[in-house]
Amino acid sequence: MRHITTHDAPATGLRGIADTSWHTRGACHGMDVEDADAVFFPLPRDHEAIAEAKELCGWCPVRSDCLNYALENVLKEGIWGGLTEAERRPWHDGLPQRLDYRRVIAFFQGRDVHLTEAERQAVVDHAYVRGWRPDRLAVGLQISRKHARDLLRQAANKVLDRDRRQGAPRPKKKRQKTAPAAGRPVTTKPGTRQPVSRQAASPSTPASFGKAA
């Protein structure tokens, strides 16, 4: 398991889920709605419109934000981030396996960023290492407490399985020796002699001799 040691470093360049402020900085901002639809949602063989859209996206300052927005919201129609539907298809297929540790760090900083399945699993693993309770994880991932408890239990089993494969010794519980109760026979191993307790001899009182008759 990879440990995050830079969780205090700012995760820059990441857009929050509810952040749409990048729209106003786009090269297409201010276009007429009908013109924008004709350029960015062209027919499959309208090469002139596709070329015009790619030209606009080529110098757009928020091109990566536009592409991530389309991928995270599963927008498979139109041109987003300078890529057509066919060009974005491999990105859509590979999105669940994306593991960007900047996003994992941003989550622990309290930011509401989009997480893929692989990134959510990394969050659960590191939450277990950090000793998070199910309530805290449930709030962060917006899931039920029972689901969060099950995820933390799975992370714990994963750590135990990893240690078992690597031969790491498991801590053993020390057993305290208790004295046998009074009147209870002490069990001994075969071949060993059980100590016999001897009573201390009481001093004998001298016999009294009577007077001779």
Side-chain angles (χ1 to χ4, degrees), residues 106-185:
F107 172 86
F108 286 105
Q109 291 175 342
R111 296 185 56 187
D112 188 18
V113 295
H114 179 271
L115 297 174
T116 63
E117 291 297 327
E119 291 161 354
R120 287 172 67 90
Q121 185 59 52
V123 164
V124 173
D125 293 340
H126 289 286
Y128 168 74
V129 172
R130 295 175 182 220
W132 277 30
R133 305 290 298 174
D135 295 338
R136 187 176 181 183
L137 183 63
V139 173
L141 293 180
Q142 298 180 4
I143 57 179
S144 65
R145 184 181 182 277
K146 180 180 181 301
H147 189 192
R149 186 177 65 247
D150 294 340
L151 291 177
L152 290 175
R153 186 179 294 116
Q154 293 174 7
N157 293 334
K158 185 189 302 183
V159 172
L160 292 176
D161 292 341
R162 181 201 61 185
D163 293 344
R164 191 179 297 111
R165 289 194 304 268
Q166 295 178 356
R170 297 182 61 182
K172 296 182 179 180
K173 296 182 179 179
K174 295 183 178 180
R175 300 179 60 183
Q176 297 181 353
K177 296 182 179 180
T178 57
R184 188 175 181 180

Side-chain angles (χ1 to χ4, degrees), residues 4 11 13-17 64-65 68-69 72 95 98-109 111-116 119 123:
I4 300 178
L14 296 178
R15 177 187 56 81
I17 294 179
S64 60
D65 291 322
N68 288 329
Y69 179 82
E72 294 168 3
L95 183 64
R98 183 192 69 189
L99 182 54
D100 186 356
Y101 271 90
R102 295 182 307 156
R103 296 178 178 273
V104 179
I105 293 172
F107 172 86
F108 286 105
Q109 291 175 342
R111 296 185 56 187
D112 188 18
V113 295
H114 179 271
L115 297 174
T116 63
E119 291 161 354
V123 164

Side-chain angles (χ1 to χ4, degrees), residues 37-57:
D37 288 343
V39 172
F40 294 101
F41 294 89
L43 297 175
R45 297 184 180 276
D46 192 350
H47 301 291
E48 183 178 353
I50 294 175
E52 183 179 356
K54 285 180 172 290
E55 183 179 358
L56 284 173
C57 295

Side-chain angles (χ1 to χ4, degrees), residues 50 54 67 79 82-92:
I50 294 175
K54 285 180 172 290
L67 177 60
I79 298 176
L83 299 180
T84 62
E85 304 169 17
E87 293 169 341
R88 287 198 315 275
R89 190 172 297 115
W91 293 74
H92 282 289

